[in-house]
Amino acid sequence: MATLASSSSLLHSSSSSFNSSSTPSISPVSRISLKFPSSSLSSSLSISPYFVAFSLNSRRVSPKSYSSTSVVQASGAVEKKKVLIVNTNSGGHAVIGFYFAKELLGSGHDVTVLTVGEESSDKMKKTPFTRFSEITGAGGRTVWGNPADVGKILEGEVFDAVLDNNGKDLDSVSPVADWAKSSGVKQFLFISSAGIYKPTDEPPHVEGDAVKADAGHVLVEKYISEIFGSWASFRPQYMIGSGNNKDCEEWFFDRIVRGRPVLIPGSGMQLTNISHVRDLSSMLTLAVQNPAAASGRIFNCVSDRAVTLDGMARLCAKAAGSSVEIVHYDPKAVGVDAKKAFPFRNMHFYAEPRAANEILGWSATTNLPEDLKERYEEYVKIGRDKKEMKFELDDKILESLKVPVAA
């Protein structure tokens, strides 16, 4: 049984913080800490009615009524759900669906993964798709096709929950959402992006902060909030984890193991958030198992700690058992586009998972020093440390800075 500790402290509130470009965000909630015995990992949670519905026009929280004695109740067994994951066939988000499917299957749910495109395409020769046997081996099902044709591909099937981990705009998501609505899907989840937040003078980004009103993800969030009674949106940032096919830590390892400088734009003190994908999947799983709590909510799908860009370089070097030379530069002065020269934003860009902590009782497990050791072991195992590589853009920057280029 869950052990509860409750206080009436709020995240933050301000009656003057209205912003018309905000999307659905968390309402004020009482702070709750949950302590579960190890045997209760399969318990389902339900949030009391005192957790008030979302507000479309709040910034961080809106000053609505709340109870300082909110109650979370745990029942002994999780209701088995039939879940469809519409998964992208490229980019860093593909690994989210992979981990989410495995976690759901491990919790006893029925899972179908619909991946964009054809099973025979070259994209399927990369991870995480080459590891889909881990899904089918655990009892899941994998199918391929155009998400716009989901009704034909899965004709006659009924799902309790659908996650769209593919679309970035209404054109790509609305066919899936409309089909889900018409076929009786009870819960619709969407992988959005923390990149939709407007730059802020008060980092970190928290749920309810102003967003770019014309961003495709924002329009999707608005649409699903209008047609579904039970929905939630998740905004990830950068992620690491086995099976990811978009470089994150690998970018640093590529340079460190070859004795090359790691070139970081700006001061290197910019803060960002890098999460292990297992944390993203565990948050999503809690939402499926606790639809009443997750309903109508925006969740920053991130870990609970920030890291500086210089810090990431040093952590990667430590994981590789090497030293690192960090060179800072001004992209404009050397005439390069920082977006092409460096894998992260050249600015403070990080969010906190306050809604998931408060509402779902979720907690992060990302531990970059340890997780990066595991990632480096895999990096070496696949032979990437011996792969021939060119660093033409790095060399251009180093030449402009008059820093000797390694032979």
Side-chain angles (χ1 to χ4, degrees), residues 81 83-87 93-115 127-142 163 165 241-244 276-286 288-289 374-375 378:
K81 301 288 183 68
V83 182
L84 170 66
I85 301 170
V86 180
N87 209 38
H93 284 190
V95 74
I96 299 175
F98 173 65
Y99 271 76
F100 183 40
K102 291 178 62 178
E103 179 142 353
L104 287 172
L105 290 164
S107 298
H109 300 289
D110 185 302
V111 179
T112 297
V113 180
L114 167 59
T115 301
T127 56
F129 312 110
T130 55
R131 293 175 56 183
F132 270 18
S133 60
E134 296 175 34
I135 295 174
T136 56
R141 180 171 56 145
T142 54
L163 170 71
N165 182 38
S242 179
N244 194 358
H276 195 289
V277 68
R278 65 172 178 266
D279 278 346
L280 283 64
S281 66
S282 67
M283 189 185 296
L284 289 163
T285 299
L286 280 175
V288 168
Q289 296 179 168
E374 179 182 304
R375 297 300 300 125
E378 184 169 351

Side-chain angles (χ1 to χ4, degrees), residues 71-399:
V71 177
V72 177
Q73 296 177 331
S75 60
V78 170
E79 175 188 355
K80 182 177 180 179
K81 301 288 183 68
K82 187 174 181 180
V83 182
L84 170 66
I85 301 170
V86 180
N87 209 38
T88 181
N89 62 1
S90 61
H93 284 190
V95 74
I96 299 175
F98 173 65
Y99 271 76
F100 183 40
K102 291 178 62 178
E103 179 142 353
L104 287 172
L105 290 164
S107 298
H109 300 289
D110 185 302
V111 179
T112 297
V113 180
L114 167 59
T115 301
V116 178
E118 299 179 357
E119 185 177 4
S120 60
S121 72
D122 287 343
K123 289 183 177 182
M124 297 302 109
K125 297 176 182 178
K126 299 179 180 180
T127 56
F129 312 110
T130 55
R131 293 175 56 183
F132 270 18
S133 60
E134 296 175 34
I135 295 174
T136 56
R141 180 171 56 145
T142 54
V143 296
W144 281 259
N146 184 343
D149 298 326
V150 60
K152 296 178 181 178
I153 298 169
L154 300 169
E155 187 173 2
E157 294 198 46
V158 178
F159 293 87
D160 296 299
V162 170
L163 170 71
D164 191 306
N165 182 38
N166 172 59
K168 299 180 180 179
D169 53 41
L170 269 180
D171 287 343
S172 54
V173 177
S174 60
V176 177
D178 292 344
W179 164 81
K181 179 68 176 178
S182 65
S183 64
V185 168
K186 299 173 184 176
Q187 182 187 40
F188 194 89
L189 308 177
F190 174 59
I191 297 295
S192 182
S193 170
I196 65 177
Y197 285 116
K198 290 182 176 180
T200 179
D201 292 329
E202 297 180 276
H205 292 298
V206 296
E207 295 88 349
D209 275 359
V211 297
K212 304 164 188 172
D214 59 348
H217 295 92
V218 173
L219 300 177
V220 171
E221 290 178 350
K222 183 175 185 297
Y223 185 70
I224 63 175
S225 74
E226 292 171 347
I227 70 171
F228 288 100
S230 180
W231 66 275
S233 182
F234 298 81
R235 297 173 178 172
Q237 280 193 241
Y238 305 117
M239 67 196 80
I240 63 171
S242 179
N244 194 358
N245 63 23
K246 184 174 182 179
D247 283 359
C248 179
E249 65 278 16
E250 295 91 346
W251 186 92
F252 294 89
F253 291 150
D254 287 343
R255 288 150 179 80
I256 291 166
V257 300
R258 292 168 178 81
R260 293 186 61 93
V262 171
L263 309 183
I264 296 179
S267 70
M269 294 304 293
Q270 306 94 310
L271 291 164
T272 193
N273 189 306
I274 301 170
S275 311
H276 195 289
V277 68
R278 65 172 178 266
D279 278 346
L280 283 64
S281 66
S282 67
M283 189 185 296
L284 289 163
T285 299
L286 280 175
V288 168
Q289 296 179 168
N290 303 277
S295 182
R297 301 287 181 174
I298 299 290
F299 296 98
N300 286 337
C301 205
V302 296
S303 68
D304 58 0
R305 297 195 69 173
V307 62
T308 64
L309 301 184
D310 276 7
M312 182 63 177
R314 288 192 289 266
L315 287 172
C316 285
K318 187 174 181 179
S322 301
S323 59
V324 61
E325 177 188 359
I326 298 173
V327 175
H328 298 120
Y329 66 96
D330 178 350
K332 289 184 179 180
V334 300
V336 300
D337 182 351
K339 293 180 180 179
K340 295 180 179 179
F342 190 68
F344 303 141
R345 283 173 169 81
N346 180 24
M347 59 185 289
H348 287 308
F349 175 56
Y350 78 106
E352 284 189 351
R354 296 186 185 181
N357 292 153
E358 297 285 339
I359 297 167
L360 299 178
W362 173 90
S363 59
T365 64
T366 298
N367 182 329
L368 281 180
E370 294 302 316
D371 292 334
L372 287 170
K373 289 179 184 178
E374 179 182 304
R375 297 300 300 125
Y376 181 70
E377 290 175 3
E378 184 169 351
Y379 176 89
V380 172
K381 184 177 180 180
I382 64 175
R384 183 159 166 169
D385 60 322
K386 301 293 194 298
K387 184 179 179 180
E388 185 176 344
M389 292 185 177
K390 294 182 178 181
F391 299 89
E392 294 175 351
L393 193 51
D394 284 31
D395 290 345
K396 178 182 177 181
I397 296 170
L398 290 170
E399 183 179 358

Side-chain angles (χ1 to χ4, degrees), residues 11-30:
L11 301 178
H12 177 277
S13 65
S14 173
S15 59
S16 61
S17 61
F18 174 85
N19 189 306
S20 61
S21 64
S22 295
T23 54
S25 57
I26 63 168
S27 302
V29 296
S30 299

